[in-house]
């Protein structure tokens, strides 16, 4: 970066930052006030999970106590990001007839606008087409203000510098040379590094090292001194701290995650240290670059009137009305289908099924469920959270720690280890020793290839020997890397590996600590009971019950975990399905359930499976444990699954740009995509999600939902105390909302809430992504996961929730769960219910139910 572009000569330069503090009389700031402001700022930051466990997170998590409309204004004002599409988007939807006049009128009614339809359309037409930025944003950092006034690039430099040091400090093993001060707290480590770093001074920030060394060693003391020097109004300190953190929003989110499962105090302390680092750079600008007039002008910006009183606030209001109208238009086809299904709903079939298949509520499962149901009228599918109610930490063979296999809102309660079936102690020891030897050799070989002294000579000498492998990988004929779960294992061993569910105590690795794994019988019975009740599967068991988790097959894709099961913490659902099936097949568990009035027939068997959402193949597990008298049922199941996979691939093919004439060619094509290291869209993930439905499958089985709806089975008649509904609304519904809002945010403002262009991604520290070779840690989804190059593949709408239950049951849940009520009342999602008595839909608006008629328009 050109240093001349960063620096300028101020007109009224002064000697020290303390001069400004004395000028504004802010030396009276107290630590408790600072800490309170920091705590408020920290709660606005949503966590960012690492790539290995990448799960969808609501980026507006810290704003959920505000209404959606208020959050739109606040987010834009703070520079956090735009929460609405540009005016041109809504104008185009109206021009082509997608948004209708009735939608706009209804949206104005819901938002409380007193405009006429004509006024709204005129104002929409007069808005700038694409410019959504706020003119004269008062919530600037000092670096932002100097850049705007003088054309410098201090904000960019500061973000790059902080990102550089955070990447070194938080690195999880990617770098060959580690930061020597990683054992110190973040702020202390950065001060040690800054003492040697001349980059800011070379960029024009004179005496930077001396300025930083003169700051207090404790971060809270440093923050207090800096804020006093800045002279910001005490009433805006929380906004000022929040804005500082937003300039390194990605790293702020990562720090927030680091202590997400620890304690609020630790989270506050970690973000406090990052805040101290960011403020230190603005402090250095006050000391060396900014004039007194610059600081005074910047400070005055923080005294500006609220945005709602400006023309920009009025423009936001129009866009908010149009966003609501757009969402009403998107809901119309869904309510049209529901109205048709409600009118023709048939009684529940009492005949025993040959197969019940339980899938994750993930929207991709909807396509496969429909395909499977067409195979026979003796098949019933159900929707349930993909971890199947088993919050476990799954420890892979030869490891002493595992990964959480449950939604991020939960913590694992049980540790499950892998073992090799029918292996004695000697064989198991040999397998473990061989696996770790191979892994160590692979690490040494990788270290040699990447080392500074050997990388070039290695390529010169050995490069041609890899030509064949490089060619086959490039053509998608082979997989560039082995799947981590089977790395270091012989092929004939892989199929013998499975979970051990019984309670055991011992070492998982040589010389490791003694740990307890497995699940005690009483806990297994309780988990099984809750899982079956959550599936609304208390009776009428089929001969085979398939518990089908899901995962995705991709290579060279840092966001691979984002395509796996969110309910399993960004992992595939294989482990949960196998553990759940093993528990439900356990004779002792069934005996315990029978004493509680829940009887599983002796001729019912639970089978674990995994749906690969890239290839639409379903793999079955632990088949050697299935009794021989299920052999014909198993053959029939395999045939049904093969045919359903073919139908699902054919339905998804056009969206992937594949021809679907020849089934065999299509199968090869999707399989090749899963191995293609240049493929930027191996599948579409959860793009297009618009709704969450909790109801019996009979409500939705008569029509196509096009892979856009989360489907959760729910029978309110089996839920007399609303306990199951409470669980659904406080867990799966919230997770679905998180997913929806992440896709929404990444679409409306990918620059701030997304991760940009996949082709420019670089993995940093195995933690996350940089777009290019610098800048902030990116959050959210890449643009290629949302847009096919021509049109948006994800419509930016808030989630529509449809629940079949009496009004009083839903209202009871809202009354008992403040966070859920907050999501609903503040319009972060749209709540609708199907009344089981009159078969009509009702929308929840301002704490009242309003009938939905005429395909989504209220009466």
């Amino acid at each position: 970066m050109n240093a001349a572009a960063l620096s300028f000569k101020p007109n009224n330069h002064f000697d020290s930052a303390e001069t400004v503090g004395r000028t504004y009389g802010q030396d009276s700031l107290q630590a408790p006030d600072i800490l309170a402001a920091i705590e408020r700022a920290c709660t606005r930051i949503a966590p960012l999970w690492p790539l290995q466990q990448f799960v969808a997170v609501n980026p507006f998590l810290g704003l959920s106590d505000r209404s959606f409309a208020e959050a739109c204004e606040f987010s834009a004002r703070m520079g956090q990001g735009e929460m609405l599409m540009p005016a041109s988007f809504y104008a185009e939807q109206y021009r082509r007839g997608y948004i209708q006049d009735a939608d706009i009128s209804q949206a104005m009614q819901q938002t409380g606008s007193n405009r006429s339809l004509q006024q709204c359309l005129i104002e929409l037409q007069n808005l700038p087409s694409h410019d959504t930025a706020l003119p004269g944003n008062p919530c600037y950092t000092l670096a932002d203000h100097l850049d705007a006034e003088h054309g410098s690039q201090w904000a960019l430099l500061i973000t790059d510098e902080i990102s550089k040091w955070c990447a070194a400090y938080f690195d999880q093993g990617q770098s060959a040379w580690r930061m020597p001060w990683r054992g110190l707290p973040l702020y202390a480590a950065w001060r040690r590094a800054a003492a040697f770093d001349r980059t800011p001074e070379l960029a024009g920030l004179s005496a930077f090292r001396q300025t930083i060394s003169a700051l207090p060693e404790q971060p809270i003391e440093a923050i207090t001194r800096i804020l006093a020097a800045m002279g910001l109004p005490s009433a805006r300190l929380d906004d000022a701290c929040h804005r500082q953190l937003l300039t390194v929003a990605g790293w702020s989110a990562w720090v927030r995650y680091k202590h997400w499962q620890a304690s609020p105090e630790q989270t506050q302390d970690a973000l406090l240290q990052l805040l101290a680092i960011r403020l230190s750079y603005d402090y250095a600008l006050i000391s060396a670059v900014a004039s007194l007039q610059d600081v005074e002008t910047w400070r005055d910006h923080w005294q500006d009137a609220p945005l709602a009183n400006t023309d920009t606030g009025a423009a936001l209001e129009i866009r908010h009305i149009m966003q609501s109208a757009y969402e009403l238009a998107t809901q119309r086809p869904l309510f049209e289908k529901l109205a048709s299904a409600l009118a023709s709903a048939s009684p529940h079939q009492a005949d025993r099924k040959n197969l019940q298949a339980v899938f994750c509520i993930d929207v991709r499962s909807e396509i496969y469920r429909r395909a499977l149901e067409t195979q026979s009228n003796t098949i019933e599918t159900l929707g349930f959270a993909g971890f199947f109610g088993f919050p476990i930490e799954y420890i892979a063979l030869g490891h002493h720690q595992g990964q959480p296999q449950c939604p991020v809102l939960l913590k694992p309660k049980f540790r499950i280890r892998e073992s090799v079936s029918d292996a004695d102690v000697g064989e198991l020891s040999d397998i473990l020793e061989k696996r770790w030897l191979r892994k160590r050799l692979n690490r040494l070989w990788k270290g040699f290839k990447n080392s500074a002294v050997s990388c070039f000579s290695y390529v010169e000498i050995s490069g041609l020997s890899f030509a064949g492998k490089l060619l086959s990988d490039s053509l998608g004929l082979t997989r560039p890397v082995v799947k981590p779960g089977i790395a270091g294992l012989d092929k004939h061993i892989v199929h013998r590996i499975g979970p051990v569910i019984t309670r055991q105590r011992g070492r998982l690795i040589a010389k490791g600590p003694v740990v307890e794994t497995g699940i005690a019988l009483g806990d297994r019975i309780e988990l099984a009971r809750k899982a079956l009740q959550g599936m609304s599967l208390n009776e009428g068991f089929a001969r085979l019950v398939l518990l089908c988790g899901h995962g995705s097959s991709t290579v060279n894709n840092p966001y691979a975990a984002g395509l796996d099961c969110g309910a399993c913490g960004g992992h595939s659902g294989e482990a949960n399905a196998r553990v759940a099936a093993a528990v439900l097949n356990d004779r002792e568990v069934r005996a315990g359930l029978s004493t509680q009035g829940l009887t599983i027939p002796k001729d019912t068997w639970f089978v674990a499976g995994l749906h690969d959402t890239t290839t639409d193949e379903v793999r079955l597990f632990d088949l050697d444990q299935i009794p021989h008298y299920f052999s014909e049922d198993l053959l029939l199941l395999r045939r049904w699954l093969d045919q359903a996979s073919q139908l699902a691939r054919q339905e998804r093919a056009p969206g992937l740009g594949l021809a679907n004439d020849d089934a065999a060619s299509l199968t090869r094509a999707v399989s090749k995509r899963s191995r293609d290291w240049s493929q930027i869209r191996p599948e579409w993930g959860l793009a297009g999600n618009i709704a969450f439905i909790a109801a019996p499958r009979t409500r939705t089985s008569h029509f196509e939902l096009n892979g856009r709806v989360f489907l959760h089975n729910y029978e309110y008649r089996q839920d007399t105390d609303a306990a199951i509904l409470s669980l659904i609304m406080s867990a799966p519904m919230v997770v679905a909302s998180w997913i929806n809002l992440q896709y929404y945010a990444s679409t409306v403002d990918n620059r701030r809430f997304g991760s940009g262009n996949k082709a420019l991604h670089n993995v940093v520290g195995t933690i996350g992504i940089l777009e290019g070779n610098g800048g902030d840690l990116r959050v959210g989804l890449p643009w290629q996961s949302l847009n096919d190059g021509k049109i948006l593949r994800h419509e930016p709408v808030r989630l529509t929730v449809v629940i079949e239950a009496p009004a009083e049951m839903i209202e009871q849940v809202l009354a008992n769960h403040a966070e859920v009520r907050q999501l609903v009342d503040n319009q972060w999602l749209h709540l609708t219910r199907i009344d089981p008595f009159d078969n009509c839909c009702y929308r929840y608006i301002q704490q009242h139910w309003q009938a939905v008629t005429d395909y989504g328009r209220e009466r």
Side-chain angles (χ1 to χ4, degrees):
M1 186 179 296
N2 188 344
L6 296 176
S7 61
F8 58 89
K9 185 176 181 179
N11 296 325
N12 299 304
H13 193 64
F14 46 86
D15 295 330
S16 71
E18 279 72 12
T19 303
V20 182
R22 289 192 295 271
T23 301
Y24 296 121
Q26 294 291 312
D27 291 320
S28 61
L29 285 175
Q30 300 297 315
D33 298 328
I34 300 293
L35 287 172
I38 292 171
E39 183 176 1
R40 290 192 296 271
C42 291
T43 58
R44 300 173 187 169
I45 303 296
L48 172 67
W49 265 256
L51 291 174
Q52 298 93 327
Q53 301 169 249
F54 188 83
V55 294
V57 176
N58 172 12
F60 314 120
L61 193 61
L63 304 181
S64 58
D65 60 331
R66 305 165 189 258
S67 71
F68 180 80
E70 291 170 345
C72 288
E73 176 184 320
F74 180 81
S75 181
R77 182 178 177 85
M78 292 299 299
Q80 181 172 353
E82 281 290 341
M83 291 175 56
L84 299 168
M85 295 293 282
S88 58
F89 173 83
Y90 302 116
E92 173 61 20
Q93 301 305 314
Y94 180 76
R95 185 196 63 78
R96 68 185 185 91
Y98 187 80
I99 297 177
Q100 299 177 10
D101 289 346
D103 299 320
I104 301 174
S105 297
Q106 186 176 330
M108 287 191 294
Q109 180 183 359
Q110 290 181 3
T111 57
S113 174
N114 55 9
R115 292 175 174 82
S116 67
L117 173 64
Q118 195 63 28
Q119 284 176 318
C120 184
L121 292 174
I122 291 173
E123 290 185 57
L124 175 66
Q125 189 67 31
N126 292 334
L127 291 179
S129 296
H130 296 282
D131 183 17
T132 58
L134 291 177
N137 188 340
C139 297
Y140 278 161
T141 64
L142 180 61
D144 295 328
H145 174 72
L146 294 177
D147 291 348
E149 291 294 317
H150 303 283
S152 55
Q153 298 182 41
W154 291 115
L156 179 61
L157 172 74
I158 293 169
T159 299
D160 282 344
E161 286 293 290
I162 295 177
S163 184
K164 172 182 71 179
W165 292 119
C166 282
Y169 182 83
F170 291 114
D171 178 79
Q172 294 185 338
Q174 182 174 343
S175 62
W177 295 345
R178 311 299 292 275
M179 186 188 210
W181 307 291
R182 285 165 55 90
L184 297 174
L186 176 61
Y187 175 70
W190 170 77
R191 289 184 79 244
R192 294 289 297 275
F196 300 94
D197 188 10
R198 295 178 180 270
T199 304
E201 293 173 2
L202 292 174
L205 196 53
S206 60
F208 176 78
R209 289 174 297 160
Q210 293 90 330
T211 301
I212 300 306
S213 64
L215 284 172
E217 294 183 1
Q218 295 302 315
I220 184 60
E221 295 175 5
I223 291 173
T224 301
R225 178 184 295 185
I226 294 169
L227 291 178
M230 289 178 168
L232 295 175
S234 58
R236 300 295 303 277
L237 288 182
D238 52 350
D239 287 346
C241 292
H242 182 207
R243 176 59 195 152
Q244 292 282 335
L245 291 173
L246 288 176
T247 63
V248 280
W251 287 109
S252 296
W254 167 253
V255 172
R256 177 79 160 139
Y257 157 78
K258 286 288 288 180
H259 299 286
W260 173 260
Q261 295 178 330
S263 70
E265 292 76 15
Q266 288 177 305
T267 301
Q268 174 182 303
D269 179 67
L271 281 174
L272 180 148
Q273 297 200 39
L274 182 61
L275 176 62
I277 294 171
R278 177 59 186 85
L279 282 168
S280 297
Y281 282 93
D282 270 13
Y283 181 78
L285 289 174
I286 293 176
S287 300
V289 175
S291 68
L292 189 61
Q293 182 61 44
D294 285 322
V295 179
E296 186 174 320
T297 304
W298 168 66
R299 180 179 178 270
D300 288 343
H301 278 307
W302 286 89
Q303 303 282 8
D304 280 359
L307 185 62
N309 295 333
T310 66
D311 292 339
T312 306
L316 273 176
E317 184 180 351
I318 291 296
R319 289 163 57 210
H320 177 238
I321 291 171
M322 294 304 297
Q323 175 64 34
S324 298
Y326 177 62
E327 290 169 344
L328 288 168
T330 305
Q331 291 171 349
R332 192 182 305 114
L334 174 64
F335 285 119
E336 182 178 345
K337 291 177 179 179
L338 282 174
S340 173
L342 293 173
S344 61
S346 58
H348 179 71
Q349 298 294 327
D351 295 340
R352 189 184 186 190
K353 303 293 184 180
N354 287 335
L355 172 67
Q356 288 165 324
V358 186
F359 289 85
C360 181
I361 63 173
D362 187 289
V363 296
R364 291 167 290 182
S365 299
E366 188 271 333
I367 294 175
Y368 198 93
R369 287 175 64 179
R370 272 192 289 109
L372 183 58
E373 288 167 344
T374 62
Q375 303 308 308
S376 171
N377 60 7
T378 66
I379 297 174
E380 178 184 17
T381 71
L382 301 94
F384 189 60
F387 76 115
F388 299 107
F390 284 75
I392 60 175
E393 176 189 342
Y394 195 72
I395 306 173
L397 184 69
H399 293 255
H400 69 282
Q401 287 184 322
Q403 296 291 342
Q405 295 269 158
C406 58
V408 296
L409 295 175
L410 303 178
K411 290 186 179 180
K413 294 183 178 179
F414 308 97
R415 306 179 77 186
I416 301 294
R417 69 178 179 90
E418 275 186 340
S419 189
V420 181
S421 63
D422 301 324
D424 57 27
V425 175
E427 183 186 8
L428 185 59
S429 178
D430 290 342
I431 292 171
L432 293 176
E433 185 176 345
K434 184 181 294 185
R435 182 175 204 186
W436 278 108
L437 176 61
R438 288 172 175 172
K439 285 196 169 187
R440 283 194 292 268
L441 289 174
N442 284 336
R443 280 199 297 267
L444 288 172
W445 183 242
K446 184 177 180 180
F448 168 75
K449 290 189 295 183
N450 293 337
S451 67
V453 296
S454 63
C455 58
F456 294 107
S457 58
Y458 167 77
V459 172
E460 291 289 341
I461 297 172
S462 307
L464 288 178
S465 65
F466 285 88
K469 173 67 172 169
L470 182 63
L471 181 62
S472 63
D473 287 347
S474 299
L475 294 175
L477 303 176
T478 55
R479 182 183 173 92
V481 293
V482 179
K483 291 183 177 180
I486 62 174
L489 294 172
D490 294 330
K491 291 183 179 179
H492 69 278
I493 296 294
V494 172
H495 77 279
R496 294 173 57 193
I497 294 176
V500 179
I501 64 170
T502 54
R503 196 72 169 164
Q504 297 182 355
R505 183 178 175 85
R507 291 184 172 87
L508 300 177
I509 59 173
K511 300 181 181 180
V514 175
V515 297
E516 287 188 352
T517 61
I519 309 173
L521 177 58
D523 291 326
R524 295 204 300 274
I525 294 172
E526 184 66 9
L527 286 170
R529 182 184 66 81
K530 289 183 176 179
L532 292 174
Q533 288 179 344
M535 300 173 195
S536 296
L537 191 57
N538 296 331
E539 57 185 3
F541 292 90
R543 279 182 58 80
L544 287 184
V545 180
L546 172 64
L547 303 181
C548 197
H550 67 94
S552 180
S553 295
T554 63
V555 294
N556 192 31
N557 181 11
Y559 285 98
L563 297 176
D564 280 335
C565 183
C568 297
H571 303 94
S572 88
E574 174 187 337
N576 299 80
R578 296 179 74 176
V579 169
V583 168
L584 289 165
N585 288 325
D586 188 327
R587 291 182 180 180
E588 292 181 300
V589 170
R590 292 192 178 192
L593 290 173
S594 182
T595 63
Q596 299 180 21
L598 203 166
T599 301
I600 300 175
K602 292 182 179 179
D603 62 345
T604 289
W605 193 262
F606 290 82
V607 182
L610 184 73
H611 172 211
D612 188 323
T613 54
T614 307
T615 65
D616 275 316
E617 296 176 351
V618 173
R619 179 186 173 193
L620 303 178
F621 300 97
D622 307 317
L623 300 181
D624 57 328
Q625 300 177 21
I626 300 179
H628 65 87
Y629 50 83
F630 286 102
S631 57
E632 291 186 7
D633 301 89
L634 193 58
L635 288 173
L636 191 58
L637 171 61
R638 288 181 181 278
R639 185 166 76 245
W640 284 338
L641 291 175
D642 288 343
Q643 293 171 347
S645 295
Q646 182 176 324
L647 287 177
R649 282 191 287 267
Q650 289 174 341
E651 181 170 338
R652 291 195 308 115
L656 297 171
L658 300 174
N660 60 6
D661 320 293
D662 181 4
S665 298
L666 180 57
T667 300
R668 288 193 297 270
V670 295
S671 179
K672 181 179 178 181
R673 291 175 77 89
S674 72
R675 299 188 299 266
D676 187 353
W677 61 4
S678 66
Q679 180 56 249
I680 58 175
R681 297 184 187 93
E683 59 160 292
W684 280 108
L686 292 94
N689 71 84
I690 60 169
F692 174 98
I693 299 178
R697 176 57 174 157
T698 53
R699 291 296 193 190
T700 56
S701 60
H702 307 293
F703 50 84
E704 297 181 2
L705 293 169
N706 305 314
R708 306 189 66 189
V709 179
F710 301 92
L711 292 178
H712 197 301
N713 265 67
Y714 177 63
E715 296 273 1
Y716 82 92
R717 294 176 182 85
Q718 299 179 15
D719 187 24
T720 55
D721 60 355
I724 298 173
L725 180 61
S726 179
L727 182 62
I728 290 173
M729 292 182 66
S730 62
M733 188 187 82
V734 173
V735 171
S737 175
W738 277 28
I739 294 169
N740 169 265
L741 288 172
Q742 184 185 64
Y743 272 83
Y744 176 94
S746 298
T747 303
V748 297
D749 192 346
N750 195 265
R751 185 166 67 92
R752 293 183 178 91
F753 295 123
S755 60
N757 187 348
K758 269 188 176 182
L760 302 178
H761 283 178
N762 281 307
V763 176
V764 54
T766 74
I767 295 168
I769 292 295
L770 298 182
E771 189 180 15
N773 62 355
D776 192 16
L777 197 67
R778 298 305 302 266
V779 299
L781 300 163
W783 188 239
Q784 286 89 343
S785 296
L786 308 162
N787 189 297
D788 64 6
K790 296 180 181 178
I791 61 171
L792 285 175
R793 292 303 300 268
H794 179 75
E795 292 180 291
V797 296
R798 286 166 285 178
L799 190 70
T800 297
V801 175
V802 182
I803 300 172
E804 179 175 341
E808 56 269 20
M809 290 182 69
I810 299 175
E811 291 167 2
Q812 177 184 334
V813 175
L814 295 176
N816 294 337
H817 294 272
E819 293 182 357
V820 177
R821 186 172 66 252
Q822 203 173 63
L823 284 176
V824 175
D825 288 347
N826 288 338
Q827 301 170 339
W828 292 97
L829 54 80
H830 304 289
L831 178 61
T832 309
R833 69 178 178 89
I834 299 173
D835 190 288
F837 305 110
D838 65 12
N839 277 346
C840 292
C841 290
Y842 294 86
R843 192 193 304 274
Y844 191 76
I845 299 177
Q846 297 177 353
Q847 302 181 0
H848 293 88
W849 296 101
Q850 193 173 46
V852 179
T853 59
D854 192 20
Y855 308 136
R857 300 190 184 109
E858 276 68 20
R859 62 185 179 197

